[in-house]
Structure formats: structure tokens, C-alpha cells
């Protein structure tokens, strides 16, 4: 089948539902990172084109899709639990179709487990097979055929339909896969090698998003700083940012994720010079100990990391800095953990995403000696939160009484009368305002600071 074959199967599905006069409903549930959120938007785009409507209630759905994540054990356990919970629903309604996709499903042992123990699942496939989903779905509906597919399509398929959120926020993938093989991480095994989209395709997509009124565009990739290395033409990530910055209109550009070994002064200079690029850098450091960084195969030192951050602060004094960190990597000593604490205090991050090391089958770290107990790891985790809380709060307090530009994302989860948005630095701001502001920018005076968010009033 040609890779654009999804169009044919979307048509077949559409005809099928038209001929039986049915408006089917799908529940699409997404776990994991923005990459998965973006893939789910394509899955929903294809379902929408095939005639599906959407719902959250599994009892009312004709199709349930779980788009899964494999990055930590906890994420995988939740998925198994949720697939198991569908069993009685499928028993009562055998016409219900169940598809499970995403990173977790690219692993051989997982597909085997689903095949043997979760026999009510109809379709299982990895992240590179999104374009084949309409075919699997059609064959399941029409012929009762089950699909378990782990093949990888390295080609980038452009132009698939996308059903984006309606709040003016858009994800744009610039590259797929990862070549870094950090020793703890499963991502390179489940998302394949680095593949960059052509700059022209990215710019065209961004231009049409801006034209359609999208205001907050986030560029996605596991390691965006190595964008373009696999393309002829010499366009690197900084060049791409500059080109996107040239698109006319009032919008913000952000990007995740950067890797310290590939984050260049050229990129930081470009950020500083481009007015639409948010002054926000998410630069995972993982550990403050050079011994641990080496064992993680991160290929930079704590000193190199700190000097990059110093350069970024020098060029953009108001930059918001966030990072990922792992505690309890196999063999991490107390003294090595203290190096992580030291680095956090030195850099003063605005926010930190802290993870306890989770063993991933098939990665090099999974066979490393790990004498540290779970209790010790938990203590280190708690300690790190104690360190970062006052730092985050202090950095938020710098915005007190200032008027900031906020992209309005929607209403607050806890209070429907309150709007919620993000600053350029990615900080959450709650404030009272008209719902017509959603999807656009507002200017808000900050009147209150909490550890993880801000509150204010429109001006
Ligand atoms: N490509 C991105 C994101 C990778 S996954 C990057 O390199 O930053 C997001 C975060 O999950 C990682 O930064 C890391 O901190 C964490 N992570 C990945 N594998 C993990 C594991 N096995 N155990 C605990 N945390 C992990
Ligand atoms: Fe995983 Fe490292 Fe690649 Fe990030 S850069 S996805 S942590 S292997
Ligand atoms: Fe999870 Fe895959 Fe993202 S493993 S973190 S959903 S790339």
C-alpha cells in the first residue's frame, strides 16, 4: 500500500457509515508527552474525516483509542489497568472496537502481553504507523480482522488531517525520533531514528496556522537542537526558528525539547533576536554529577550545562528556565545527588520536572547495579521538591505587580468563571475575564503569586 493509502481507507470508512446511516463515536485517550498529543490530533483528524464524532464516555463509544507512553513504569501500569477495564464493556457490546497505539505498543513484549492477556483489543500499533490506522480500522469493522503491527515506517508522511484543539494552541512536529540513546531511556527504541521534516513543509504549516488564527505554536521533537542534521541544505534549528519568526502576524513560538550537548550559542542568540520566540528554555540536565551524566550517556558536564545557562541569562535576563531531572539513577550516591541539588540552587529554575528513575527493559541502565533503596530514592525526590519550591516561588514573585502578556487557553479547571492562560515564560496565570478572550492574548496585572501559578486582573 502506498503510504498515502490512508486516504483510500478513510473514504471506505466514510462510505461504510453512510451506507448504514450511522454516526459513530470515538473516545481518544492520550498518555505521555506532547508528541503523543500531536499524534492523537492526527488520529482524531483521520477519524473526523471518516465520519466519527467524539465523546469521553466509553459506554457510548463505538471506538476507543488509547495512545500510550512507555517512558516510566507507572505510565505503563495505568494503561494495562485501563485496557482491562474495557473488557466488560466489550463483552456487552462486541461491536465496540478497541485500538491501542503509541510508544508502549512498539515494544515486542508489550504486544505479546496484549495478544495473550487482553484478547478484547482489536488493533495494536506503534507510533510510526498512525497513517495505517484507517486501514486497520476498516479491516476490523468490515472483516473482523485483528492487527498487531510493530513495523516502522521511516518516511515522513505529510498532509495527514489534523484535528487541533480549539483554543488557538498548536503543536508542530519538526522532527521525529531520537539518536541519543541516553542509557535510561526507551524513546529511541520506540520512536526510531531522527528524521527532520523539510523546512519548507514546517514553514508552510506554521504560516497556515497563523492565518487560521493560532497564536501559540510549539515546535516539537525529542531533540529539536539536532533538527536538520539529516537533511541536505544546511538549515539548522536556529535557521528554522528565524525563518518562522519572519511569518507575519501576532503569535508566539515555543519549542521542546532541547539537549545541552546540541544547544548552541547560535540558537540562544537567535532566540534573543527573534521577537516571536518566547523567552523560555526547557533544557533537561538530568543530573548534576559528571559521573552520573557519563553513565547516562548525556555527553556534557555539569559545568558545560551551567555555562550554557549563564550565556542564556546574559542574552535574555528575563528568560524562564525549566528542566527535567532524574533522581536515583542506578548507583547514584548521596554525594552525587547533592551535586544535583547544588546545580538546581545555582541555576534557579522557574520549574523543574522531577522523576524517580524507572527501569526500562532493553535499555543499558536496566542491567546496571542499583543498590539504592526505593525509600532512599523517595527521600531524594522529596528533598529536591523542598529545594525547588522556594526557588520557583521567588521567581514567580518577580512578576508581582507587573503587567504581562498572557495567551488565554481556557477556563480554570476549578472555577468556570476564571480564565487561565500562559505567560511567555510558560507560567500559568488565572484571572477574571470574558470567555471571548480564549484563544487570544490578554494583558494581565499580576496580583498574587503561588508556588506553581500566578493570579491577576486584566488591564
Ligand atoms: N527527549 C526529551 C524528553 C524525553 S522523556 C529529552 O531528552 O529531554 C522526558 C523526561 O523523562 C526525560 O527528560 C527524563 O528526565 C525522564 N525520563 C526518561 N526516561 C526515564 C526513566 N527511565 N526513568 C525516569 N525518568 C525518565
Ligand atoms: Fe530519551 Fe535522551 Fe533521546 Fe531524550 S535525548 S528522548 S532522554 S534518549
Ligand atoms: Fe512517552 Fe513516547 Fe513521549 S515514551 S514521553 S509518549 S515519546
Amino acid at each position: 500500500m502506498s503510504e498515502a493509502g490512508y486516504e483510500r481507507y478513510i473514504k471506505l470508512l466514510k462510505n461504510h457509515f453512510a451506507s448504514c446511516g450511522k454516526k459513530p463515536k470515538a473516545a481518544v485517550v492520550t498518555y505521555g508527552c506532547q508528541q503523543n498529543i500531536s499524534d492523537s490530533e492526527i488520529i482524531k483528524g483521520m477519524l473526523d474525516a471518516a465520519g466519527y464524532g467524539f465523546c469521553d464516555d466509553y459506554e457510548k463509544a463505538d471506538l476507543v483509542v488509547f495512545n500510550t507512553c512507555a517512558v516510566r513504569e507507572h505510565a505503563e501500569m495505568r494503561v494495562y489497568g485501563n485496557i482491562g477495564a474495557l473488557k466488560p464493556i466489550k463483552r456487552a457490546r462486541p461491536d465496540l472496537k478497541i485500538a491501542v497505539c503509541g510508544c508502549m505498543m512498539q515494544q515486542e513484549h508489550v504486544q505479546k502481553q496484549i495478544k495473550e492477556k487482553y484478547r478484547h483489543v482489536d488493533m495494536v500499533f506503534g507510533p510510526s504507523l498512525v497513517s495505517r490506522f484507517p486501514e486497520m480500522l476498516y479491516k476490523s469493522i468490515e472483516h473482523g480482522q485483528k492487527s498487531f503491527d510493530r513495523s516502522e515506517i521511516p518516511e515522513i508522511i505529510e498532509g495527514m488531517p489534523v484535528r487541533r484543539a480549539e483554543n488557538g494552541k498548536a503543536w508542530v512536529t519538526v522532527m521525529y525520533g531520537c539518536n541519543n540513546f541516553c542509557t535510561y531511556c526507551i524513546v529511541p527504541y520506540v520512536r526510531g531514528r531522527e528524521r527532520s521534516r523539510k523546512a519548507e513543509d514546517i514553514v508552510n504549516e506554521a504560516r497556515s496556522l497563523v492565518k487560521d488564527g493560532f497564536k501559540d505554536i510549539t515546535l516539537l521533537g525529542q531533540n529539536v537542537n539536532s533538527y536538520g542534521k539529516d537533511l541536505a541544505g544546511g538549515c539548522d534549528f536556529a535557521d528554522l526558528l528565524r525563518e518562522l519568526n519572519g511569518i507575519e502576524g501576532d503569535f508566539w513560538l515555543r519549542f521542546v525539547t532541547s539537549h545541552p550537548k546540541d544547544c548552541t550559542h547560535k540558537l540562544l542568540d537567535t532566540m534573543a533576536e527573534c521577537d516571536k520566540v518566547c523567552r523560555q528554555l526547557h533544557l533537561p540536565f538530568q543530573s548534576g554529577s559528571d559521573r552520573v551524566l557519563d553513565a547516562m550517556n548525556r555527553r556534557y558536564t555539569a559545568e558545560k550545562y551551567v555555562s550554557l545557562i549563564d550565556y542564556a541569562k546574559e542574552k535574555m535576563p528575563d528568560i524562564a528556565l525549566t528542566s527535567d531531572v532524574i533522581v536515583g539513577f542506578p548507583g547514584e550516591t548521596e554525594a552525587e545527588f547533592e551535586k544535583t541539588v547544588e546545580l538546581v540552587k545555582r541555576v534557579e529554575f522557574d520549574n523543574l520536572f522531577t522523576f524517580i528513575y524507572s527501569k526500562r527493559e532493553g535499555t543499558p541502565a536496566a542491567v546496571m547495579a542499583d543498590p539504592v533503596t526505593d525509600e532512599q530514592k523517595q527521600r531524594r525526590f522529596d528533598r529536591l521538591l523542598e529545594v525547588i519550591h522556594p526557588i520557583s516561588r521567588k521567581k514567580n514573585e518577580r512578576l508581582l505587580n507587573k503587567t504581562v502578556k498572557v495567551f488565554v487557553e481556557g477556563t480554570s479547571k476549578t472555577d468556570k468563571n476564571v480564565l487561565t492562560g500562559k505567560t511567555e515564560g510558560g507560567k500559568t496565570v488565572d484571572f477574571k475575564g470574558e470567555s471571548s478572550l480564549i484563544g487570544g492574548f490578554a494583558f494581565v496585572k499580576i496580583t498574587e503569586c503561588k508556588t506553581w501559578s500566578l493570579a491577576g486582573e486584566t488591564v
Side-chain angles (χ1 to χ4, degrees):
M1 161 182 132
S2 93
E3 295 322 339
Y6 66 87
E7 284 165 340
R8 174 167 168 240
Y9 285 98
I10 286 175
K11 229 174 264 162
L12 286 169
L13 284 164
K14 203 173 173 172
N15 292 343
H16 168 88
F17 295 126
S19 69
C20 58
K22 189 175 161 86
K23 175 79 185 165
K25 282 202 183 72
V28 180
V29 184
T30 311
Y31 306 83
C33 68
Q34 291 94 339
Q35 197 76 65
N36 262 16
I37 296 177
S38 171
D39 288 346
S40 285
E41 290 186 343
I42 293 173
I43 288 171
K44 285 189 244 176
M46 295 193 297
L47 290 173
D48 188 29
Y52 278 85
F54 297 92
C55 67
D56 297 325
D57 186 353
Y58 303 156
E59 301 281 352
K60 294 195 180 116
D62 302 282
L63 166 70
V64 176
V65 182
F66 287 149
N67 190 6
T68 64
C69 169
V71 83
R72 281 169 291 274
E73 191 183 4
H74 175 72
E76 295 202 337
M77 288 303 130
R78 260 174 67 206
V79 168
Y80 282 126
N82 291 345
I83 300 175
L86 291 178
K87 206 176 252 180
I89 306 179
K90 175 85 171 182
R91 198 178 298 132
R93 277 194 302 126
D95 281 351
L96 169 69
K97 296 295 173 190
I98 301 174
V100 190
C101 61
C103 295
M104 185 179 161
M105 298 303 132
Q106 190 58 32
Q107 303 171 95
E108 195 175 357
H109 70 272
V110 173
Q111 287 216 0
K112 187 162 171 273
Q113 173 103 331
I114 303 270
K115 211 181 251 176
E116 287 168 3
K117 301 207 181 124
Y118 298 85
R119 301 176 65 143
H120 56 298
V121 173
D122 301 288
M123 290 150 274
V124 176
F125 55 98
S128 81
L129 292 183
V130 166
S131 66
R132 294 240 177 110
F133 175 50
E135 179 184 359
M136 294 182 210
L137 182 57
Y138 179 75
K139 289 181 174 167
S140 176
I141 290 172
E142 198 71 5
H143 310 299
Q145 184 180 317
K146 287 205 175 205
S147 296
F148 289 84
D149 201 339
R150 284 184 60 247
S151 49
E152 285 181 57
I153 303 180
E155 296 89 324
I156 292 176
I157 299 164
E158 293 290 347
M160 286 192 276
V162 190
R163 192 171 191 267
R164 299 187 194 267
E166 279 159 13
N167 63 357
K169 206 175 160 69
W171 313 103
V172 174
T173 298
V174 300
M175 63 181 303
Y176 299 88
C178 179
N179 289 354
N180 288 322
F181 290 95
C182 302
T183 55
Y184 49 81
C185 183
I186 197 75
V187 172
Y189 302 88
V190 294
R191 286 222 169 236
R193 296 294 67 73
E194 289 179 359
R195 289 148 283 151
S196 303
R197 286 177 71 195
K198 283 198 220 110
E200 190 191 337
D201 291 332
I202 299 166
V203 174
N204 285 341
E205 182 175 355
R207 192 174 286 125
S208 82
L209 287 170
V210 172
K211 206 172 121 231
D212 290 345
F214 286 88
K215 301 248 178 269
D216 194 359
I217 299 177
T218 304
L219 308 177
L220 292 182
Q222 293 303 333
N223 177 16
V224 290
N225 304 152
S226 67
Y227 171 80
K229 284 184 183 165
D230 56 325
L231 294 176
C235 172
D236 67 13
F237 186 63
D239 301 330
L240 177 69
L241 263 190
R242 196 178 288 279
E243 204 168 323
L244 291 167
N245 190 68
I247 296 173
E248 238 167 84
D250 184 21
F251 65 97
W252 274 346
L253 281 167
R254 311 174 189 273
F255 54 90
V256 278
T257 300
S258 298
H259 193 303
K261 87 174 159 59
D262 299 309
C263 179
T264 57
H265 284 191
K266 177 182 172 185
L267 172 62
L268 299 171
D269 292 340
T270 305
M271 282 178 76
E273 284 159 24
C274 289
D275 59 323
K276 287 161 192 157
V277 177
C278 291
R279 300 275 189 274
Q280 175 192 27
L281 183 64
H282 180 64
L283 193 63
F285 73 95
Q286 313 297 1
S287 169
S289 149
D290 289 344
R291 207 277 307 164
V292 174
L293 285 172
D294 189 50
M296 288 175 162
N297 189 33
R298 291 289 290 180
R299 288 173 278 172
Y300 54 84
T301 59
E303 194 189 325
K304 155 100 195 287
Y305 182 87
V306 170
S307 81
L308 260 177
I309 295 287
D310 285 346
Y311 187 82
K313 284 180 178 168
E314 183 193 319
K315 291 281 158 175
M316 296 165 275
D318 54 345
I319 192 167
L321 296 164
T322 57
S323 194
D324 293 347
V325 54
I326 296 177
V327 301
F329 182 80
E332 180 192 66
T333 64
E334 212 52 44
E336 287 165 345
F337 169 68
E338 284 306 321
K339 293 273 185 198
T340 293
V341 172
E342 221 174 88
L343 192 146
V344 170
K345 287 182 175 163
R346 166 80 164 73
V347 171
E348 300 202 306
F349 292 103
D350 292 81
N351 200 353
L352 202 56
F353 301 90
T354 312
F355 308 104
I356 293 181
Y357 169 75
S358 170
K359 186 171 162 174
R360 304 285 68 208
E361 212 172 298
T363 62
V367 294
M368 292 180 189
D370 191 6
V372 184
T373 64
D374 289 350
E375 290 72 34
Q376 275 170 306
K377 291 183 183 190
Q378 186 64 45
R379 265 206 308 279
R380 288 179 196 171
F381 180 85
D382 295 342
R383 166 97 202 285
L384 209 48
L385 292 190
E386 273 166 32
V387 172
I388 191 64
H389 278 187
I391 296 174
S392 287
R393 179 174 263 278
K394 187 176 99 183
K395 296 210 71 177
N396 279 350
E397 277 165 2
R398 286 189 194 165
L399 292 177
L400 206 57
N401 297 319
K402 294 217 166 85
T403 296
V404 294
K405 189 173 175 179
V406 170
F407 172 71
V408 189
E409 292 185 330
T411 51
S412 157
K413 274 186 201 134
T414 48
D415 184 350
K416 276 209 173 111
N417 298 313
V418 172
L419 296 176
T420 185
K422 288 274 191 299
T423 65
E424 188 181 332
K427 294 177 194 285
T428 301
V429 182
D430 292 333
F431 60 99
K432 287 222 162 73
E434 295 292 319
S435 61
S436 60
L437 289 172
I438 294 170
F441 291 114
F443 287 89
V444 178
K445 186 174 173 192
I446 304 300
T447 54
E448 194 190 338
C449 286
K450 304 168 206 166
T451 308
W452 301 123
S453 67
L454 306 158
E457 292 157 1
T458 45
V459 292

